[in-house]
Amino acid sequence: MRFKRLATVAAACMASLCGALGMVATAHAEPPIKIGQSVVLSGPQAANGLLYSQGIKVHLDAINAAGGVGGRKIELITLDDGYDPARCKANTKQLLEQDKVIALFGYTGSPAIVACAPMAEAAKVPMISPVSGTPELQEHAGRYLFFTRASFRDELRAMIDYLTTTGITSYGVTLQDDSFGHSALKIVEELLAERKLPPPVSAPVAQQTYEAGASAAAISKAAPQAVILATGGKASVNFIRDYLKTGKRAQFLGLSVVSSNQLVQELGKDADGIIVTQVVPSPWARKTQIVRDFYRELGERKDVEISYFTLEGYIAARVLVEAVRRAGPDVTSERLVQAMESMRKLSLGGYEVNFGPGVRAGSSYVDLSMVRSDGRYVQ
């Protein structure tokens, strides 16, 4: 009986001790590293933002499942801005002032980034891997803005270099009536002038609704051999549909933000033959280590759609995590900036990023692909 009482007391003490240790462990659990994201997740421009976010999640989920970085999980606080710069500014204010994030990451859309990058600069918080190739942003990025994708100038130069070799001399440009669209049009005009070719005929799609009938009608009258789409999401789909209705035909070319997966899904056979510039390797060709890593971390997940944008999001997350690692255990916004600047010719296995003091455009990788109606991309 005495032995039983002793055993009971011992068990009670052990349970109490374990509980206390558990409370201590919980009390001393490392706080998460808070990162903020405002991204397009709704509305007619949502396709790219959704895919980009899926790719980001593949890597961050894998890192957190393995215990995080230095024992700290990365908490990505994601807010939808619907491609509205005003909403993006409100989201950014919340992320900086209420959520106290140490970095802004994975923003999408040139207008939103134009609106919010000065907020990051004022707060001295880095904005890492926004989806924009607008040269004005990349060339005047300031200290806190870091791009991991090529610029639209790089993409358009590759596009026009290719078309020149095929004998195309007349161009049209349909554009979103925003900073992205107008920047792309200006670049096309400059590149054509360099080659002593006539300026392109151009017309914007309607803001907000992205109705493209008027743009298609205006450009088809000039019957250019090639039409460059300075558009994304629904605007691209609408323009091609309306242009084909005019009975005219042209070689359509889209920038990497054209939402090529959406073109295939919504246009079917009419998407066949569209040329798209890409700023990351093919996510279907497992020839590079970065793509093999992506599939390894993806595993059996069914909630991720394979696309160039998904792989771009994955690469962006790899860059973010590498910066957090380099920043050390007491990671701060300033240490993240220094960590990003230390990434000189960092190879991720088939994709290289290169930053440094004053160097904020981390990649110039561009490839050309042709969309096929069955969803394949031919390099």
Side-chain angles (χ1 to χ4, degrees):
M1 291 290 293
R2 185 180 177 190
F3 178 77
K4 280 187 174 181
R5 283 197 299 272
L6 287 172
T8 302
V9 171
C13 289
M14 185 60 71
S16 178
L17 178 61
C18 289
L21 289 173
M23 291 175 65
V24 170
T26 301
H28 288 84
E30 292 292 337
I33 299 166
K34 290 187 177 182
I35 308 294
Q37 179 188 30
S38 182
V39 63
V40 187
L41 299 176
S42 62
Q45 294 290 347
N48 291 342
L50 290 166
L51 293 170
Y52 195 58
S53 295
Q54 286 178 12
I56 289 169
K57 190 171 170 56
V58 168
H59 188 55
L60 294 189
D61 284 354
I63 291 296
N64 286 336
V69 180
R72 296 179 67 183
K73 302 289 182 73
I74 295 178
E75 180 185 348
L76 182 63
I77 302 169
T78 299
L79 304 174
D80 177 21
D81 58 43
Y83 201 75
D84 180 349
R87 283 176 63 185
C88 187
K89 289 178 72 172
N91 288 347
T92 303
K93 180 179 173 66
Q94 176 186 320
L95 292 167
L96 292 171
E97 297 180 4
Q98 296 179 31
D99 298 309
K100 305 294 184 183
V101 300
I102 64 167
L104 302 172
F105 169 72
Y107 278 44
T108 53
S110 295
I113 296 157
V114 167
C116 296
M119 299 174 69
E121 189 83 16
K124 297 184 178 181
V125 170
M127 178 180 277
I128 299 171
S129 300
V131 179
S132 173
T134 301
E136 293 84 353
L137 281 170
Q138 293 201 5
E139 293 163 10
H140 306 285
R143 185 164 187 264
Y144 295 92
L145 189 54
F146 295 86
F147 294 87
T148 58
R149 62 167 15 238
S151 76
F152 293 143
R153 188 182 303 280
D154 294 327
E155 293 188 59
L156 288 164
R157 186 178 298 278
M159 191 183 288
I160 293 173
D161 282 347
Y162 165 75
L163 290 172
T164 301
T165 66
T166 67
I168 287 178
T169 57
S170 62
Y171 291 80
V173 177
T174 182
L175 61 145
Q176 290 178 196
D177 197 5
D178 57 26
S179 56
F180 154 54
H182 288 285
S183 174
L185 173 59
K186 180 182 176 184
I187 295 166
V188 173
E189 291 171 340
E190 291 171 353
L191 292 173
L192 294 181
E194 287 176 8
R195 293 160 175 77
K196 296 181 169 51
L197 292 173
V201 57
S202 64
V205 299
Q207 282 187 296
Q208 297 180 331
T209 65
Y210 300 108
E211 292 179 1
S215 179
I219 293 173
S220 66
K221 286 180 182 176
Q225 295 166 289
V227 177
I228 294 172
L229 310 167
T231 53
K234 199 67 176 179
S236 306
V237 172
N238 289 348
F239 177 83
I240 293 172
R241 277 180 177 157
D242 288 335
Y243 196 92
L244 294 177
K245 288 176 184 175
T246 68
K248 300 290 180 63
R249 292 294 181 270
Q251 174 64 66
F252 297 118
L253 302 102
L255 291 159
S256 58
V257 295
V258 76
S259 313
S260 49
N261 276 37
Q262 187 176 4
L263 292 181
V264 172
Q265 291 165 6
E266 298 197 31
L267 292 175
K269 62 181 179 59
D270 287 336
D272 194 72
I274 299 172
I275 293 171
V276 180
T277 48
Q278 308 293 355
V279 296
V280 297
S282 169
W284 294 278
R286 305 192 193 195
K287 296 180 291 186
T288 57
Q289 187 61 50
I290 189 70
V291 176
R292 291 194 292 270
D293 289 346
F294 169 67
Y295 278 97
R296 175 176 51 78
E297 294 186 11
L298 178 64
E300 301 301 318
R301 292 177 64 154
K302 304 300 182 186
D303 60 336
V304 176
E305 181 179 349
I306 306 301
S307 72
Y308 283 96
F309 253 97
T310 315
L311 181 60
E312 185 178 348
Y314 175 80
I315 289 172
R318 289 279 297 265
V319 170
L320 173 69
V321 170
E322 179 64 21
V324 172
R325 284 199 179 104
R326 292 184 181 211
D330 298 319
V331 57
T332 63
S333 295
E334 178 58 31
R335 289 182 178 179
L336 273 181
V337 171
Q338 294 170 5
M340 290 294 297
E341 289 182 334
S342 75
M343 292 187 197
R344 308 292 184 87
K345 295 185 177 180
L346 172 68
S347 175
L348 298 175
Y351 190 89
E352 183 177 277
V353 293
N354 183 43
F355 296 106
V359 180
R360 293 300 184 265
S363 173
S364 58
Y365 181 101
V366 178
D367 199 1
L368 293 178
S369 65
M370 179 176 286
V371 181
R372 308 270 49 154
S373 59
D374 60 2
R376 291 181 300 117
Y377 293 79
V378 180
Q379 302 299 127

